[in-house]
Amino acid sequence: MTRRHTLFGVRLDALTMEETVQRCLEAVRRGEQIEIGMVNAAKLVNMRRDPRLAEAVAGCDLVLADGQAVVWAGRVLGVRLPERVAGIDLFMRLLAAAEVADIPVYLLGARQEVLEMMLRQISERFPELRVAGSRNGYFADGDQEAIADAVADSGAQLLFLGMTSPKKEIFTAGYGKRTGAHVVHGVGGSFDILAGITKRAPLLWQRMGLEWFYRTLQEPRRLGKRYLTTNAAFLAMTVRELIHRTPSAGSANRSH
């Protein structure tokens, strides 16, 4: 049974990376369907501003802490999350497992040229992996049903969505089951990283929770203001929650 905790009003699954991988493989073996939601500091902030995003994430079967800041905030607020389960790391682990177990996968997202570059990288890293199909992530809302049917027709059992929020969450909520995939995992910008378009932060930066800063250094104009704004909002959320959960001295003394 999955351990679930509530943080900032969001139910999170307290799973390690290894437990998450095994849960996904079990879903394939049993013929179940699970949709995975990933949350970091920015997404938790945006979920408060966007009801559709909040509803889509809440509807996922597994909701995991993708950001180190979420794990740290949980510790401060007394919510124990065993570790960060980064979306790209889960993506890579599942690709490796799918290659070994001959599980067909579908890759949906990114620009066409980026998708093609990533597919070349995947064929080199996982030469025995069965890619049932792929498609770029640029499509109109009216095309979602046909795309879901195409995934279902491909026979893919793992579906990876390399799209931005909230597009990937809304697609998952509306059409995840229709795709027939046993696991639907939104991996965000992981396609760009695997294609070599974007560099991932070194491991030390990841452990320090500074991946956002590393990305900002790569794209300061596009990401600088966004990260500073959401990080400040997340810190304020954490402080407010801490104050709310901590009894005041007056209320503590009334029992004496």
Side-chain angles (χ1 to χ4, degrees):
M1 189 72 180
T2 302
R3 304 179 300 279
R4 281 208 146 178
H5 301 305
T6 300
L7 183 65
F8 303 116
V10 179
R11 294 179 66 194
L12 296 176
D13 293 281
L15 297 176
T16 63
M17 175 65 76
E18 189 60 38
E19 289 169 337
T20 304
V21 171
Q22 292 307 313
R23 178 70 184 86
C24 292
L25 295 179
E26 283 174 18
V28 174
R29 285 194 293 267
R30 295 177 181 177
E32 300 171 357
Q33 285 188 300
I34 61 172
E35 297 168 357
I36 300 174
M38 313 296 290
V39 296
N40 55 20
K43 190 178 293 183
L44 285 170
V45 170
N46 290 330
M47 284 168 65
R48 294 200 165 185
R49 302 168 178 169
D50 186 344
R52 288 185 71 194
L53 174 60
E55 183 180 358
V57 172
C60 290
D61 302 286
L62 291 180
V63 182
L64 305 164
D66 180 34
Q68 187 61 47
V70 178
V71 177
W72 288 340
R75 289 175 185 168
V76 169
L77 297 170
V79 176
R80 182 65 183 173
L81 300 170
E83 65 181 7
R84 175 195 184 201
V85 180
I88 185 170
D89 294 332
L90 178 59
F91 177 35
M92 299 303 288
R93 287 287 303 273
L94 290 177
L95 287 178
E99 180 184 35
V100 172
D102 192 32
I103 299 170
V105 307
Y106 197 103
L107 299 144
L108 173 61
R111 302 191 311 275
Q112 185 62 35
E113 59 270 27
V114 174
L115 179 64
E116 291 171 2
M117 292 169 67
M118 183 194 66
L119 288 170
R120 287 195 291 271
Q121 289 294 322
I122 283 178
S123 68
E124 292 179 10
R125 292 196 191 194
F126 309 103
E128 302 301 318
L129 178 68
R130 187 147 53 107
V131 177
S134 63
R135 191 198 189 285
N136 68 61
Y138 288 79
F139 51 84
D141 289 348
D143 296 330
Q144 292 183 99
E145 186 175 309
I147 290 169
D149 289 340
V151 176
D153 291 342
S154 76
Q157 296 178 34
L158 302 181
L159 169 61
F160 300 104
L161 304 175
M163 300 184 289
T164 58
S165 293
K167 187 172 182 178
K168 65 177 181 291
E169 287 84 5
I170 290 172
F171 179 86
T172 299
Y175 298 95
K177 294 289 188 288
R178 190 181 181 105
T179 66
H182 295 306
V183 177
V184 180
H185 175 26
V187 301
S190 298
F191 285 15
D192 285 359
I193 294 173
L194 196 52
I197 300 297
T198 304
K199 286 186 178 181
R200 193 179 181 194
L203 189 57
L204 179 61
W205 289 57
Q206 295 176 41
R207 289 174 176 168
M208 293 173 65
L210 291 174
E211 267 190 294
W212 66 271
F213 186 56
Y214 190 84
R215 286 206 62 203
T216 300
L217 292 177
Q218 294 183 71
E219 300 181 79
R221 288 192 175 185
R222 187 173 76 87
L223 299 176
K225 184 178 178 181
R226 182 197 306 178
Y227 277 129
L228 288 175
T229 302
T230 54
N231 285 352
F234 183 73
L235 180 59
M237 279 171 53
T238 305
V239 171
R240 283 196 299 269
E241 188 75 12
L242 183 61
I243 292 171
H244 177 72
R245 293 187 181 205
T246 304
S248 66
S251 63
N253 289 337
R254 274 194 283 272
S255 62
H256 295 289

